Protein backbone atom coordinates (compact mmCIF):
# COMPACT_ATOMS: atom_id res chain seq x y z
CA UNK A 1 0.00 0.00 0.00
CA UNK A 2 1.36 3.47 -0.84
CA UNK A 3 1.82 5.94 2.02
CA UNK A 4 -0.27 9.12 2.28
CA UNK A 5 2.43 11.28 0.57
CA UNK A 6 2.84 9.04 -2.48
CA UNK A 7 -0.95 8.65 -2.71
CA UNK A 8 -1.43 12.44 -2.73
CA UNK A 9 1.29 12.82 -5.46
CA UNK A 10 -0.37 10.11 -7.57
CA UNK A 11 -3.78 11.76 -7.11
CA UNK A 12 -2.43 15.19 -8.21
CA UNK A 13 -0.92 13.74 -11.42
CA UNK A 14 -4.27 12.22 -12.32
CA UNK A 15 -5.96 15.57 -11.57
CA UNK A 16 -3.71 17.48 -13.99
CA UNK A 17 -4.23 14.94 -16.76
CA UNK A 18 -8.00 15.03 -16.32
CA UNK A 19 -8.10 18.82 -16.28
CA UNK A 20 -6.27 18.94 -19.63
CA UNK A 21 -8.87 16.63 -21.16
CA UNK A 22 -11.98 18.22 -19.60
CA UNK A 23 -13.59 21.46 -20.74
CA UNK A 24 -15.20 23.85 -20.10
CA UNK A 25 -14.03 25.15 -16.70
CA UNK A 26 -17.26 23.96 -15.00
CA UNK A 27 -16.39 20.35 -15.84
CA UNK A 28 -12.84 20.84 -14.50
CA UNK A 29 -14.26 21.97 -11.15
CA UNK A 30 -16.48 18.89 -11.01
CA UNK A 31 -13.49 16.57 -11.64
CA UNK A 32 -11.43 18.30 -8.96
CA UNK A 33 -14.19 17.92 -6.38
CA UNK A 34 -14.50 14.22 -7.10
CA UNK A 35 -10.75 13.59 -7.06
CA UNK A 36 -10.18 15.46 -3.79
CA UNK A 37 -12.45 12.96 -2.08
CA UNK A 38 -10.88 9.95 -3.78
CA UNK A 39 -8.01 9.50 -1.37
CA UNK A 40 -10.24 10.09 1.61
CA UNK A 41 -12.80 7.40 0.58
CA UNK A 42 -10.33 4.93 -0.92
CA UNK A 43 -10.76 1.45 0.49
CA UNK A 44 -13.98 2.31 2.33
CA UNK A 45 -17.19 0.27 1.74
CA UNK A 46 -20.26 2.29 0.85
CA UNK A 47 -23.15 1.24 3.11
CA UNK A 48 -26.40 0.04 1.56
CA UNK A 49 -29.39 1.93 2.99
CA UNK A 50 -32.03 -0.34 1.51
CA UNK A 51 -32.31 -4.15 1.11
CA UNK A 52 -31.66 -5.93 -2.18
CA UNK A 53 -34.40 -7.41 -4.32
CA UNK A 54 -34.76 -11.21 -4.58
CA UNK A 55 -32.81 -11.22 -7.86
CA UNK A 56 -30.13 -8.93 -6.47
CA UNK A 57 -30.13 -6.82 -9.65
CA UNK A 58 -31.04 -3.53 -8.00
CA UNK A 59 -31.52 -1.88 -4.65
CA UNK A 60 -34.90 -1.06 -3.19
CA UNK A 61 -35.71 2.64 -3.40
CA UNK A 62 -38.44 4.56 -1.56
CA UNK A 63 -41.69 5.44 -3.34
CA UNK A 64 -41.08 9.13 -2.67
CA UNK A 65 -37.96 9.04 -4.90
CA UNK A 66 -39.75 7.73 -8.01
CA UNK A 67 -40.06 9.96 -11.07
CA UNK A 68 -40.58 9.50 -14.83
CA UNK A 69 -36.86 9.99 -15.56
CA UNK A 70 -35.76 6.81 -13.79
CA UNK A 71 -35.62 3.52 -15.64
CA UNK A 72 -34.14 0.99 -13.24
CA UNK A 73 -35.73 0.84 -9.81
CA UNK A 74 -37.47 -1.52 -7.42
CA UNK A 75 -39.80 -0.58 -4.58
CA UNK A 76 -41.01 -2.65 -1.66
CA UNK A 77 -44.56 -1.68 -0.68
CA UNK A 78 -47.77 -2.87 0.93
CA UNK A 79 -51.05 -2.99 -1.01
CA UNK A 80 -53.60 -0.90 0.93
CA UNK A 81 -56.44 -0.88 -1.60
CA UNK A 82 -57.37 -2.81 -4.73
CA UNK A 83 -60.32 -2.20 -7.06
CA UNK A 84 -62.33 -4.79 -8.88
CA UNK A 85 -61.76 -5.32 -12.62
CA UNK A 86 -63.56 -2.68 -14.67
CA UNK A 87 -64.24 -2.99 -18.39
CA UNK A 88 -64.96 -0.52 -21.18
CA UNK A 89 -66.13 -0.64 -24.75
CA UNK A 90 -66.01 2.21 -27.27
CA UNK A 91 -65.21 2.95 -30.91
CA UNK A 92 -61.55 2.17 -30.27
CA UNK A 93 -62.28 -1.29 -28.91
CA UNK A 94 -62.77 -3.13 -25.64
CA UNK A 95 -60.53 -3.20 -22.61
CA UNK A 96 -60.24 -3.79 -18.90
CA UNK A 97 -58.26 -2.40 -16.00
CA UNK A 98 -57.75 -2.53 -12.27
CA UNK A 99 -55.89 -0.24 -9.92
CA UNK A 100 -54.32 -0.52 -6.49
CA UNK A 101 -52.75 1.78 -3.94
CA UNK A 102 -49.40 0.85 -2.41
CA UNK A 103 -47.50 2.26 0.56
CA UNK A 104 -44.02 2.24 2.09
CA UNK A 105 -42.27 4.28 4.80
CA UNK A 106 -41.81 7.27 2.50
CA UNK A 107 -45.25 7.61 0.92
CA UNK A 108 -47.86 6.08 -1.35
CA UNK A 109 -48.67 5.82 -5.07
CA UNK A 110 -51.48 4.59 -7.29
CA UNK A 111 -50.76 1.70 -9.67
CA UNK A 112 -52.93 0.74 -12.66
CA UNK A 113 -52.82 -2.36 -14.87
CA UNK A 114 -54.50 -2.73 -18.25
CA UNK A 115 -55.61 -5.74 -20.31
CA UNK A 116 -52.72 -8.28 -20.27
CA UNK A 117 -51.42 -6.88 -17.00
CA UNK A 118 -54.87 -7.46 -15.48
CA UNK A 119 -54.62 -11.16 -16.40
CA UNK A 120 -51.06 -11.34 -15.10
CA UNK A 121 -51.25 -9.45 -11.81
CA UNK A 122 -54.86 -9.12 -10.57
CA UNK A 123 -55.01 -12.61 -9.06
CA UNK A 124 -51.51 -12.30 -7.60
CA UNK A 125 -52.01 -9.10 -5.63
CA UNK A 126 -53.77 -9.22 -2.26
CA UNK A 127 -54.69 -6.28 -0.04
CA UNK A 128 -52.51 -6.09 3.07
CA UNK A 129 -49.55 -8.01 1.63
CA UNK A 130 -46.13 -6.64 0.65
CA UNK A 131 -44.49 -6.99 -2.79
CA UNK A 132 -41.36 -6.02 -4.71
CA UNK A 133 -42.47 -4.01 -7.75
CA UNK A 134 -40.20 -2.89 -10.58
CA UNK A 135 -40.18 -1.51 -14.12
CA UNK A 136 -43.49 0.32 -14.10
CA UNK A 137 -44.11 3.46 -16.16
CA UNK A 138 -44.57 6.73 -14.29
CA UNK A 139 -46.49 9.81 -15.36
CA UNK A 140 -48.05 12.90 -13.81
CA UNK A 141 -51.04 11.85 -11.68
CA UNK A 142 -54.53 12.84 -12.79
CA UNK A 143 -55.95 14.22 -9.54
CA UNK A 144 -59.47 13.95 -10.94
CA UNK A 145 -59.35 10.18 -10.55
CA UNK A 146 -57.13 9.69 -7.51
CA UNK A 147 -56.78 11.07 -4.01
CA UNK A 148 -53.42 9.43 -3.37
CA UNK A 149 -50.87 11.95 -2.12
CA UNK A 150 -48.29 11.64 -4.88
CA UNK A 151 -47.53 13.84 -7.89
CA UNK A 152 -47.02 10.72 -10.03
CA UNK A 153 -48.92 7.51 -10.72
CA UNK A 154 -47.66 4.20 -12.08
CA UNK A 155 -48.86 1.99 -14.95
CA UNK A 156 -47.84 -1.65 -15.24
CA UNK A 157 -46.44 -2.83 -18.59
CA UNK A 158 -45.04 -5.94 -20.25
CA UNK A 159 -41.70 -5.60 -18.44
CA UNK A 160 -43.18 -4.98 -14.98
CA UNK A 161 -42.61 -7.52 -12.22
CA UNK A 162 -44.42 -8.05 -8.93
CA UNK A 163 -42.80 -10.48 -6.47
CA UNK A 164 -44.19 -11.30 -2.99
CA UNK A 165 -42.03 -10.16 -0.07
CA UNK A 166 -41.92 -12.21 3.12
CA UNK A 167 -39.88 -9.70 5.16
CA UNK A 168 -42.52 -7.02 5.66
CA UNK A 169 -42.44 -6.17 9.36
CA UNK A 170 -41.14 -2.63 8.86
CA UNK A 171 -43.58 -1.70 6.05
CA UNK A 172 -46.47 0.40 7.44
CA UNK A 173 -50.02 -0.92 7.16
CA UNK A 174 -51.68 2.35 6.19
CA UNK A 175 -51.26 6.10 6.51
CA UNK A 176 -54.30 8.17 7.49
CA UNK A 177 -54.80 11.81 8.35
CA UNK A 178 -58.10 11.58 10.22
CA UNK A 179 -60.47 14.53 10.33
CA UNK A 180 -62.76 14.88 13.34
CA UNK A 181 -66.45 14.59 12.46
CA UNK A 182 -66.97 17.85 14.32
CA UNK A 183 -64.58 19.59 11.88
CA UNK A 184 -66.35 18.42 8.70
CA UNK A 185 -68.49 21.57 8.58
CA UNK A 186 -65.30 23.58 8.08
CA UNK A 187 -64.10 21.51 5.11
CA UNK A 188 -64.79 22.28 1.46
CA UNK A 189 -67.45 20.41 -0.49
CA UNK A 190 -66.05 17.43 -2.47
CA UNK A 191 -62.93 17.32 -0.30
CA UNK A 192 -61.24 13.92 -0.02
CA UNK A 193 -60.77 13.08 3.66
CA UNK A 194 -59.91 10.28 6.08
CA UNK A 195 -62.45 9.73 8.86
CA UNK A 196 -62.88 7.31 11.77
CA UNK A 197 -65.82 6.75 14.08
CA UNK A 198 -68.07 4.29 15.87
CA UNK A 199 -70.83 2.78 13.74
CA UNK A 200 -73.80 4.04 15.76
CA UNK A 201 -76.50 2.69 13.45
CA UNK A 202 -76.89 0.88 10.13
CA UNK A 203 -79.63 0.90 7.48
CA UNK A 204 -80.62 -2.09 5.41
CA UNK A 205 -79.21 -2.46 1.90
CA UNK A 206 -81.29 -0.82 -0.82
CA UNK A 207 -80.89 -1.12 -4.58
CA UNK A 208 -80.88 1.71 -7.05
CA UNK A 209 -80.96 1.73 -10.83
CA UNK A 210 -78.42 3.98 -12.54
CA UNK A 211 -78.99 5.96 -15.73
CA UNK A 212 -77.27 3.16 -17.64
CA UNK A 213 -79.86 0.68 -16.27
CA UNK A 214 -77.39 -0.98 -13.92
CA UNK A 215 -78.53 -1.98 -10.46
CA UNK A 216 -76.25 -0.89 -7.63
CA UNK A 217 -76.43 -1.64 -3.90
CA UNK A 218 -76.44 1.17 -1.36
CA UNK A 219 -76.25 1.24 2.43
CA UNK A 220 -76.15 4.22 4.80
CA UNK A 221 -74.62 4.19 8.27
CA UNK A 222 -74.15 6.78 11.01
CA UNK A 223 -70.71 7.43 12.47
CA UNK A 224 -70.04 9.19 15.78
CA UNK A 225 -66.71 10.20 17.30
CA UNK A 226 -65.45 11.95 20.43
CA UNK A 227 -66.69 15.31 19.17
CA UNK A 228 -70.23 14.07 19.89
CA UNK A 229 -71.19 14.74 16.26
CA UNK A 230 -72.68 12.25 13.83
CA UNK A 231 -72.41 12.04 10.06
CA UNK A 232 -74.16 9.81 7.54
CA UNK A 233 -71.85 7.65 5.42
CA UNK A 234 -73.00 5.98 2.19
CA UNK A 235 -71.45 2.69 1.10
CA UNK A 236 -71.87 1.38 -2.45
CA UNK A 237 -71.69 -1.92 -4.29
CA UNK A 238 -69.90 -4.85 -2.72
CA UNK A 239 -68.90 -2.83 0.35
CA UNK A 240 -72.58 -2.08 1.02
CA UNK A 241 -73.55 -5.72 0.57
CA UNK A 242 -70.93 -7.24 2.88
CA UNK A 243 -70.75 -4.56 5.60
CA UNK A 244 -71.69 -5.91 9.03
CA UNK A 245 -72.54 -3.23 11.57
CA UNK A 246 -73.43 -5.59 14.41
CA UNK A 247 -71.70 -4.83 17.69
CA UNK A 248 -71.21 -1.17 16.67
CA UNK A 249 -67.68 -1.58 15.25
CA UNK A 250 -65.07 1.11 14.70
CA UNK A 251 -65.02 2.09 11.03
CA UNK A 252 -62.12 3.94 9.44
CA UNK A 253 -62.42 5.21 5.87
CA UNK A 254 -59.47 6.45 3.86
CA UNK A 255 -60.14 8.76 0.89
CA UNK A 256 -63.86 9.33 1.47
CA UNK A 257 -65.63 12.13 -0.39
CA UNK A 258 -67.30 14.92 1.60
CA UNK A 259 -70.66 16.13 0.28
CA UNK A 260 -72.94 19.01 1.25
CA UNK A 261 -76.06 16.96 0.51
CA UNK A 262 -78.39 17.37 3.48
CA UNK A 263 -75.85 19.40 5.43
CA UNK A 264 -72.70 17.27 5.57
CA UNK A 265 -72.47 13.64 4.48
CA UNK A 266 -69.75 11.24 3.35
CA UNK A 267 -69.59 8.82 0.44
CA UNK A 268 -67.15 5.92 0.19
CA UNK A 269 -66.25 5.54 -3.49
CA UNK A 270 -64.49 2.66 -5.30
CA UNK A 271 -61.14 4.31 -4.49
CA UNK A 272 -61.87 4.50 -0.75
CA UNK A 273 -60.40 2.03 1.72
CA UNK A 274 -62.66 0.70 4.50
CA UNK A 275 -61.20 -0.75 7.70
CA UNK A 276 -63.39 -2.35 10.37
CA UNK A 277 -61.90 -2.35 13.89
CA UNK A 278 -58.42 -1.47 12.57
CA UNK A 279 -55.39 -2.17 14.78
CA UNK A 280 -54.44 1.48 15.25
CA UNK A 281 -54.29 3.72 18.36
CA UNK A 282 -57.18 5.93 17.19
CA UNK A 283 -59.49 2.92 17.06
CA UNK A 284 -58.62 1.76 20.59
CA UNK A 285 -59.11 5.29 21.92
CA UNK A 286 -62.53 5.54 20.28
CA UNK A 287 -63.62 2.14 21.57
CA UNK A 288 -62.69 3.05 25.13
CA UNK A 289 -64.52 6.37 24.92
CA UNK A 290 -67.66 4.86 23.40
CA UNK A 291 -67.93 1.96 25.85
CA UNK A 292 -67.46 4.29 28.81
CA UNK A 293 -69.62 7.28 27.89
CA UNK A 294 -70.18 7.68 24.14
CA UNK A 295 -72.92 5.03 23.96
CA UNK A 296 -75.19 7.26 26.06
CA UNK A 297 -74.98 10.16 23.60
CA UNK A 298 -77.69 10.63 20.99
CA UNK A 299 -75.25 12.88 19.17
CA UNK A 300 -75.84 15.90 16.97
CA UNK A 301 -76.10 14.89 13.33
CA UNK A 302 -74.42 16.94 10.62
CA UNK A 303 -76.74 15.29 8.10
CA UNK A 304 -80.39 16.25 7.78
CA UNK A 305 -83.00 13.52 8.17
CA UNK A 306 -83.64 12.36 4.61
CA UNK A 307 -84.88 9.04 3.34
CA UNK A 308 -84.01 6.27 5.73
CA UNK A 309 -80.84 7.85 7.01
CA UNK A 310 -80.08 10.37 9.70
CA UNK A 311 -83.17 9.78 11.79
CA UNK A 312 -82.18 6.47 13.33
CA UNK A 313 -81.39 8.21 16.60
CA UNK A 314 -84.75 10.01 16.92
CA UNK A 315 -86.00 7.59 19.56
CA UNK A 316 -89.72 7.73 20.34
CA UNK A 317 -92.37 5.63 21.96
CA UNK A 318 -95.50 4.97 19.93
CA UNK A 319 -97.44 7.29 22.22
CA UNK A 320 -94.85 10.04 21.54
CA UNK A 321 -95.59 9.72 17.83
CA UNK A 322 -99.24 10.59 18.48
CA UNK A 323 -98.88 13.18 21.23
CA UNK A 324 -96.16 15.06 19.34
CA UNK A 325 -98.24 14.92 16.12
CA UNK A 326 -95.38 13.53 14.07
CA UNK A 327 -96.12 13.56 10.35
CA UNK A 328 -98.59 16.44 10.48
CA UNK A 329 -96.15 18.97 9.03
CA UNK A 330 -95.31 19.77 5.41
CA UNK A 331 -92.62 17.10 5.38
CA UNK A 332 -92.58 13.53 6.62
CA UNK A 333 -91.07 12.78 10.04
CA UNK A 334 -88.77 9.88 10.84
CA UNK A 335 -88.45 8.12 14.16
CA UNK A 336 -87.06 4.96 15.72
CA UNK A 337 -88.81 2.77 18.26
CA UNK A 338 -88.49 -0.65 19.83
CA UNK A 339 -91.77 -2.51 19.37
CA UNK A 340 -93.21 -6.01 19.26
CA UNK A 341 -95.16 -7.63 16.42
CA UNK A 342 -98.69 -8.37 17.70
CA UNK A 343 -100.46 -9.09 14.40
CA UNK A 344 -99.49 -9.69 10.77
CA UNK A 345 -102.03 -9.43 7.98
CA UNK A 346 -101.06 -12.16 5.56
CA UNK A 347 -103.94 -11.58 3.11
CA UNK A 348 -102.68 -9.94 -0.10
CA UNK A 349 -99.16 -9.62 1.32
CA UNK A 350 -97.61 -11.02 -1.88
CA UNK A 351 -97.97 -9.87 -5.46
CA UNK A 352 -96.54 -10.92 -8.80
CA UNK A 353 -94.13 -8.24 -10.04
CA UNK A 354 -92.26 -7.50 -13.25
CA UNK A 355 -89.08 -9.64 -13.42
CA UNK A 356 -86.98 -6.75 -14.77
CA UNK A 357 -84.30 -5.57 -12.37
CA UNK A 358 -85.32 -1.93 -12.52
CA UNK A 359 -89.09 -2.49 -12.25
CA UNK A 360 -91.30 -3.73 -9.41
CA UNK A 361 -94.70 -3.03 -10.95
CA UNK A 362 -97.46 -5.61 -10.70
CA UNK A 363 -97.88 -7.81 -13.77
CA UNK A 364 -101.15 -8.98 -15.32
CA UNK A 365 -101.64 -12.70 -15.94
CA UNK A 366 -102.51 -13.11 -19.63
CA UNK A 367 -103.68 -16.72 -18.97
CA UNK A 368 -101.51 -17.99 -21.79
CA UNK A 369 -98.32 -18.53 -19.80
CA UNK A 370 -97.28 -14.88 -20.19
CA UNK A 371 -97.38 -11.96 -17.76
CA UNK A 372 -97.68 -8.35 -18.94
CA UNK A 373 -96.04 -5.30 -17.34
CA UNK A 374 -97.81 -2.11 -18.34
CA UNK A 375 -94.89 0.07 -17.28
CA UNK A 376 -92.36 -1.82 -19.41
CA UNK A 377 -94.97 -2.47 -22.12
CA UNK A 378 -93.68 -6.04 -22.38
CA UNK A 379 -94.84 -9.58 -21.77
CA UNK A 380 -92.70 -12.04 -19.82
CA UNK A 381 -92.85 -15.81 -19.32
CA UNK A 382 -92.16 -15.38 -15.59
CA UNK A 383 -92.46 -12.95 -12.68
CA UNK A 384 -90.95 -12.28 -9.27
CA UNK A 385 -92.73 -12.14 -5.93
CA UNK A 386 -92.78 -8.91 -3.94
CA UNK A 387 -93.97 -8.32 -0.38
CA UNK A 388 -96.23 -5.59 1.03
CA UNK A 389 -96.91 -6.53 4.64
CA UNK A 390 -99.30 -4.77 7.03
CA UNK A 391 -98.36 -5.21 10.66
CA UNK A 392 -99.60 -4.00 14.01
CA UNK A 393 -96.73 -3.25 16.39
CA UNK A 394 -96.91 -2.29 20.04
CA UNK A 395 -94.73 -1.07 22.88
CA UNK A 396 -95.63 -0.50 26.53
CA UNK A 397 -97.48 2.73 25.74
CA UNK A 398 -99.44 2.26 22.49
CA UNK A 399 -99.74 0.39 19.18
CA UNK A 400 -99.64 1.37 15.51
CA UNK A 401 -100.34 -0.09 12.09
CA UNK A 402 -97.31 0.04 9.80
CA UNK A 403 -96.58 -0.98 6.20
CA UNK A 404 -93.45 -3.03 5.48
CA UNK A 405 -92.06 -3.44 1.98
CA UNK A 406 -89.71 -6.09 0.58
CA UNK A 407 -86.55 -5.93 2.72
CA UNK A 408 -88.33 -4.96 5.93
CA UNK A 409 -91.00 -7.63 5.48
CA UNK A 410 -88.38 -10.30 4.77
CA UNK A 411 -86.51 -9.30 7.95
CA UNK A 412 -89.68 -9.71 10.02
CA UNK A 413 -90.72 -13.02 8.48
CA UNK A 414 -87.22 -14.46 8.29
CA UNK A 415 -87.79 -15.70 4.72
CA UNK A 416 -87.39 -14.18 1.26
CA UNK A 417 -90.34 -13.34 -0.97
CA UNK A 418 -89.53 -15.99 -3.61
CA UNK A 419 -89.65 -18.81 -1.04
CA UNK A 420 -92.86 -17.46 0.52
CA UNK A 421 -94.51 -17.29 -2.89
CA UNK A 422 -93.64 -20.90 -3.66
CA UNK A 423 -94.80 -21.99 -0.19
CA UNK A 424 -98.13 -20.19 -0.53
CA UNK A 425 -98.85 -22.10 -3.74
CA UNK A 426 -97.66 -25.49 -2.48
CA UNK A 427 -98.09 -25.69 1.31
CA UNK A 428 -100.42 -23.13 2.83
CA UNK A 429 -100.14 -24.69 6.30
CA UNK A 430 -96.37 -24.10 6.33
CA UNK A 431 -97.00 -20.62 4.92
CA UNK A 432 -99.33 -19.78 7.83
CA UNK A 433 -96.84 -21.20 10.33
CA UNK A 434 -94.18 -18.69 9.24
CA UNK A 435 -96.56 -15.83 10.08
CA UNK A 436 -97.45 -17.38 13.44
CA UNK A 437 -93.78 -17.72 14.37
CA UNK A 438 -93.13 -14.08 13.45
CA UNK A 439 -95.68 -12.82 15.99
CA UNK A 440 -94.46 -11.43 19.33
CA UNK A 441 -90.92 -10.89 18.10
CA UNK A 442 -89.35 -7.56 19.06
CA UNK A 443 -87.37 -5.39 16.65
CA UNK A 444 -85.98 -1.90 16.23
CA UNK A 445 -88.19 -0.13 13.69
CA UNK A 446 -87.07 2.94 11.77
CA UNK A 447 -90.21 4.44 10.28
CA UNK A 448 -91.47 7.30 8.15
CA UNK A 449 -94.76 8.88 9.16
CA UNK A 450 -96.86 11.34 7.13
CA UNK A 451 -100.45 12.56 7.14
CA UNK A 452 -102.05 11.52 3.85
CA UNK A 453 -105.47 12.33 2.40
CA UNK A 454 -107.50 9.85 0.37
CA UNK A 455 -111.16 10.36 -0.64
CA UNK A 456 -111.29 13.47 1.57
CA UNK A 457 -110.23 11.42 4.57
CA UNK A 458 -106.93 12.21 6.31
CA UNK A 459 -105.01 9.65 8.29
CA UNK A 460 -101.45 8.99 9.38
CA UNK A 461 -99.54 6.50 7.25
CA UNK A 462 -96.49 4.85 8.82
CA UNK A 463 -94.00 3.08 6.55
CA UNK A 464 -91.15 1.00 7.94
CA UNK A 465 -87.85 1.98 6.32
CA UNK A 466 -85.64 -0.51 8.16
CA UNK A 467 -85.99 -3.37 10.63
CA UNK A 468 -83.10 -4.34 12.88
CA UNK A 469 -82.60 -6.77 15.76
CA UNK A 470 -82.49 -5.25 19.24
CA UNK A 471 -79.01 -4.61 20.61
CA UNK A 472 -79.93 -5.31 24.22
CA UNK A 473 -76.65 -4.00 25.61
CA UNK A 474 -77.06 -0.65 23.86
CA UNK A 475 -80.77 -0.55 24.72
CA UNK A 476 -80.11 -1.22 28.42
CA UNK A 477 -77.39 1.44 28.57
CA UNK A 478 -79.74 3.97 26.98
CA UNK A 479 -82.49 3.11 29.49
CA UNK A 480 -80.05 3.56 32.38
CA UNK A 481 -79.02 6.95 30.99
CA UNK A 482 -82.66 8.02 30.69
CA UNK A 483 -83.37 6.91 34.27
CA UNK A 484 -80.44 8.95 35.55
CA UNK A 485 -81.65 12.01 33.64
CA UNK A 486 -85.13 11.64 35.17
CA UNK A 487 -83.67 11.13 38.64
CA UNK A 488 -81.63 14.31 38.31
CA UNK A 489 -84.68 16.45 37.54
Amino acid sequence: MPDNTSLATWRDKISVSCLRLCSPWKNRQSWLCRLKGFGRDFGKKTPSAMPSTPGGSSKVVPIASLNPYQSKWTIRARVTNKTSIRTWSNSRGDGKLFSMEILDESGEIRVTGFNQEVDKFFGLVEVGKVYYISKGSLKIANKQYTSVKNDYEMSLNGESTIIPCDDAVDVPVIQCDFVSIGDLENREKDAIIDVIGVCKSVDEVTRLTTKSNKEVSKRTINLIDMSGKLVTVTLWGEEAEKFDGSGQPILAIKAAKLSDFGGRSISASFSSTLMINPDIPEAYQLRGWYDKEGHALDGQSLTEVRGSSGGLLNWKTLSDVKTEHLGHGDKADYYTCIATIVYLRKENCLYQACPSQDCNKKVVDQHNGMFRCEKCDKEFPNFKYRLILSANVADYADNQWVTCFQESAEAILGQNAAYLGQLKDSNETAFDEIFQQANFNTFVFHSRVKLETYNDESRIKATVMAVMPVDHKEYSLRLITNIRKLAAQ
Side-chain angles (χ1 to χ4, degrees), residues 231-293:
V231 67
T232 296
V233 179
T234 303
L235 307 181
W236 300 94
E238 185 180 351
E239 295 290 358
E241 292 279 358
K242 68 182 184 181
F243 181 78
D244 182 7
S246 60
Q248 297 179 310
I250 305 296
L251 176 63
I253 309 176
K254 181 176 175 61
K257 186 175 182 180
L258 182 63
S259 169
D260 62 354
F261 178 75
R264 277 289 185 266
S265 59
I266 291 173
S267 180
S269 66
F270 68 90
S271 60
S272 302
T273 302
L274 271 66
M275 297 162 283
I276 299 176
N277 293 324
D279 187 15
I280 56 177
E282 293 89 344
Y284 291 111
Q285 186 180 15
L286 262 177
R287 175 52 64 195
W289 166 81
Y290 188 79
D291 290 345
K292 183 178 180 181
E293 56 183 291

Side-chain angles (χ1 to χ4, degrees), residues 20 24-25 100 102 132 207 237 260 271 283 322 402 418 444 466 474:
R20 289 173 179 172
W25 174 245
M100 59 182 177
I102 58 176
Y132 291 104
R207 289 171 178 80
D260 62 354
S271 60
K322 295 180 180 179
V402 297
V444 176
E474 191 275 336

Side-chain angles (χ1 to χ4, degrees), residues 233-476:
V233 179
T234 303
L235 307 181
W236 300 94
E238 185 180 351
E239 295 290 358
E241 292 279 358
K242 68 182 184 181
F243 181 78
D244 182 7
S246 60
Q248 297 179 310
I250 305 296
L251 176 63
I253 309 176
K254 181 176 175 61
K257 186 175 182 180
L258 182 63
S259 169
D260 62 354
F261 178 75
R264 277 289 185 266
S265 59
I266 291 173
S267 180
S269 66
F270 68 90
S271 60
S272 302
T273 302
L274 271 66
M275 297 162 283
I276 299 176
N277 293 324
D279 187 15
I280 56 177
E282 293 89 344
Y284 291 111
Q285 186 180 15
L286 262 177
R287 175 52 64 195
W289 166 81
Y290 188 79
D291 290 345
K292 183 178 180 181
E293 56 183 291
H295 62 267
L297 296 177
D298 281 345
Q300 180 182 352
S301 180
L302 303 181
T303 312
E304 294 177 6
V305 180
R306 296 193 180 197
S308 61
S309 62
L312 283 171
L313 302 175
N314 186 26
W315 291 99
K316 300 291 180 184
T317 66
L318 294 179
S319 63
D320 291 336
V321 176
K322 295 180 180 179
T323 57
E324 295 178 17
H325 302 291
L326 296 186
H328 287 259
D330 294 334
K331 295 182 179 180
D333 288 313
Y334 296 82
Y335 69 93
T336 301
C337 70
I338 293 180
T340 302
I341 303 287
V342 295
Y343 183 76
L344 294 171
R345 188 177 290 158
K346 63 178 180 291
E347 293 79 18
N348 301 318
C349 67
L350 283 164
Y351 73 93
Q352 297 170 344
C354 177
S356 300
Q357 286 188 348
D358 56 342
C359 181
N360 294 320
K361 291 294 183 181
K362 187 175 181 179
V363 294
V364 180
D365 190 348
Q366 301 297 294
H367 301 290
N368 61 355
M370 302 295 287
F371 300 87
R372 178 171 177 78
C373 175
E374 295 295 339
K375 179 184 177 183
C376 298
D377 193 23
K378 290 182 180 179
E379 291 188 1
F380 301 92
N382 62 333
F383 59 84
K384 63 185 177 187
Y385 277 111
R386 297 281 299 179
L387 279 163
I388 302 180
L389 182 64
S390 292
N392 189 266
V393 300
D395 60 11
Y396 72 92
D398 211 328
N399 71 89
Q400 185 177 54
W401 280 99
V402 297
T403 301
C404 307
F405 290 95
Q406 188 81 349
E407 288 82 6
S408 299
E410 289 178 340
I412 290 172
L413 296 172
Q415 301 290 346
N416 61 55
Y419 175 75
L420 290 169
Q422 294 174 2
L423 205 61
K424 187 176 185 299
D425 295 335
S426 60
N427 190 340
E428 194 161 347
T429 301
F431 178 78
D432 293 341
E433 182 64 22
I434 289 175
F435 281 78
Q436 289 296 327
Q437 291 179 356
N439 282 326
F440 304 109
N441 289 324
T442 302
F443 298 95
V444 176
F445 293 91
H446 176 52
S447 303
R448 174 188 187 274
V449 63
K450 183 74 176 71
L451 185 67
E452 295 187 354
T453 302
Y454 183 73
N455 288 338
D456 297 327
E457 181 182 352
S458 297
R459 62 177 181 176
I460 286 289
K461 181 179 180 181
T463 304
V464 175
M465 309 302 294
V467 175
M468 295 153 287
V470 179
D471 184 335
H472 292 283
K473 178 183 176 181
E474 191 275 336
Y475 181 44
S476 298

